Amino acid sequence: MTEHFAPLVAGQGPGLLLAHGAGGGVTANFGPLLDDLARTHTVVGADYPVAGGTLDELADGLVATAVDAGVEKFAVLGYSLGTAVAVRVATRHPERVTGLILTAGFARPDARMELALDVWAELLKGDRTLLAKYLMLTAVSEPFLAALTPEQVAEAVAGLAASVPAGTAKQVELVRKVDTRAELASIAVPTLVIATTLDSLVPPKHSHELADGIPGAELVEIASGHGIGEEAPEAWLTAIRKVLR
């Protein structure tokens, strides 16, 4: 039985379904974009269940959430782990998907990502401040971090430490299992892949692999670390808007 997630629904217009990243959430990952996107689209999103789930279950749950909200067809905006969810939505429910926007994503984790996941999973078991420092180190680009004052860095670390979502460990484990390479060639909707070129957590080569595997996909590069919503929201929104128009 497909689980229906607690939805966030905003705006009016064509459907836009959001799929967030591991250790994130709809507001955490897409917050700076939501008001603008809702001006022209019915935006539907939902945080993943605390109990976790397979890629199929997350994809089916998001689709069910959109349909419950009266949104029968939609483009899917995926971020990080959400890009794999978006790809699975497109391959399991092709009749509902009008397009894909895949940001800071990957088709499968490589050795570098596996090491990052190992450390992330261990730090989740202990000191959340140390975990937050690790996430700042890996998910924030050097230029963006260098521009912050020591006080701003400390504030960001404290905010991260206090806002680790329940269910993060399950999502980190799911990242290890992702492998969508075999289904990329079957995607038949317009697709934009957005590579975050200063990303050390999910380096841009992963976005190139997605773009190379999806027929006709367009690749856009944005100078940002993994946390593009904080580092480059306007550039991200501009790229998304170009496709949605």
Side-chain angles (χ1 to χ4, degrees):
M1 183 177 178
T2 299
E3 183 173 2
H4 296 219
F5 304 163
L8 176 152
V9 183
Q12 292 183 336
L16 179 63
L17 180 62
L18 307 179
H20 69 75
V26 173
T27 301
N29 290 164
F30 303 106
L33 314 183
L34 289 176
D35 287 345
D36 191 282
L37 293 174
R39 288 192 297 105
T40 56
H41 285 72
T42 302
V43 180
V44 181
D47 293 348
Y48 304 142
V50 172
T54 65
L55 208 56
D56 285 354
E57 289 168 340
L58 296 187
D60 292 351
L62 284 183
V63 170
T65 299
V67 173
D68 284 352
V71 181
E72 298 284 342
K73 295 194 174 190
F74 37 76
V76 189
L77 170 57
Y79 166 74
S80 193
L81 170 62
T83 63
V85 177
V87 166
R88 191 58 54 85
V89 168
T91 55
R92 286 177 67 83
H93 305 274
E95 74 286 355
R96 296 198 180 278
V97 177
T98 60
L100 294 179
I101 305 169
L102 309 177
T103 304
F106 56 95
R108 57 162 179 161
D110 62 2
R112 181 186 180 92
M113 284 184 63
E114 290 279 6
L115 289 172
L117 292 167
D118 288 343
V119 177
W120 193 356
E122 284 301 312
L123 290 175
L124 277 166
K125 300 174 184 177
D127 185 343
R128 292 301 169 89
T129 298
L130 186 59
L131 169 64
K133 289 180 177 180
Y134 169 73
L135 293 175
M136 286 285 289
L137 182 64
T138 56
V140 176
S141 72
E142 190 279 331
F144 187 82
L145 191 58
L148 300 178
T149 66
E151 292 76 17
Q152 288 172 322
V153 172
E155 183 179 348
V157 167
L160 275 174
S163 61
V164 178
T168 295
K170 297 281 190 182
Q171 294 165 25
V172 170
E173 188 58 34
L174 178 58
V175 172
R176 298 182 191 277
K177 301 174 183 176
V178 166
D179 189 348
T180 61
R181 289 173 296 168
E183 56 206 277
L184 298 180
S186 68
I187 293 175
V189 294
T191 299
L192 173 68
V193 179
I194 301 173
T196 39
T197 61
L198 305 179
D199 194 336
S200 60
L201 184 61
V202 185
K205 71 170 190 176
H206 292 281
S207 288
H208 286 262
E209 183 177 23
L210 286 171
D212 289 344
I214 298 172
E218 179 185 358
L219 178 70
V220 170
E221 295 185 330
I222 294 177
S224 171
H226 197 65
I228 187 172
E230 292 294 327
E231 293 194 32
E234 291 301 324
W236 191 16
L237 185 60
T238 298
I240 293 168
R241 279 279 174 217
K242 182 180 176 183
V243 174
L244 293 181
R245 280 196 296 267

